[in-house]
Amino acid sequence: MIERYFLAHPRSVGESYAEHAHTAARFGAIMVVGGLACIVHAVLPTVFMRTASDRVKQLYGEMLARQPAFTERKPAYEEPEWQLEYEI
């Protein structure tokens, strides 16, 4: 059970549990800040005009760079579920 819930996914992306937890927490914090900027921007359109879009683009670029180089299959970001349907 520990393997399934805590270790399998981090290993599948070539990270330890601690490395994966740190990265996921950092990504989450960046998304929260971007989301809060969106909410403020909704009320005051002249502030944070690009903050959320810039954070999304930043994280997407980092996510692409983090994909493991699996030669037996195409990278995860080329799979349909990773494709962007639109750009903010």
Side-chain angles (χ1 to χ4, degrees), residues 11-88:
R11 285 182 184 152
S12 75
V13 295
E15 296 176 335
S16 70
Y17 176 82
E19 290 169 328
H20 194 72
H22 176 266
T23 300
R26 189 176 69 77
F27 271 55
I30 291 170
M31 287 191 285
V32 167
V33 170
L36 292 172
C38 277
I39 293 168
V40 172
H41 176 72
V43 177
L44 300 168
T46 58
V47 297
F48 302 125
M49 291 185 284
R50 298 183 46 90
T51 304
S53 295
D54 288 347
R55 296 297 78 79
V56 168
K57 290 174 186 175
Q58 170 198 354
L59 291 176
Y60 182 69
E62 288 183 33
M63 191 67 72
L64 289 179
R66 293 173 45 76
Q67 296 300 314
F70 293 112
T71 56
E72 66 274 5
R73 65 184 178 106
K74 61 184 172 181
Y77 61 84
E78 290 181 8
E79 298 291 335
E81 63 268 19
W82 283 90
Q83 298 300 308
L84 291 176
E85 293 180 21
Y86 59 90
E87 187 171 331
I88 297 172

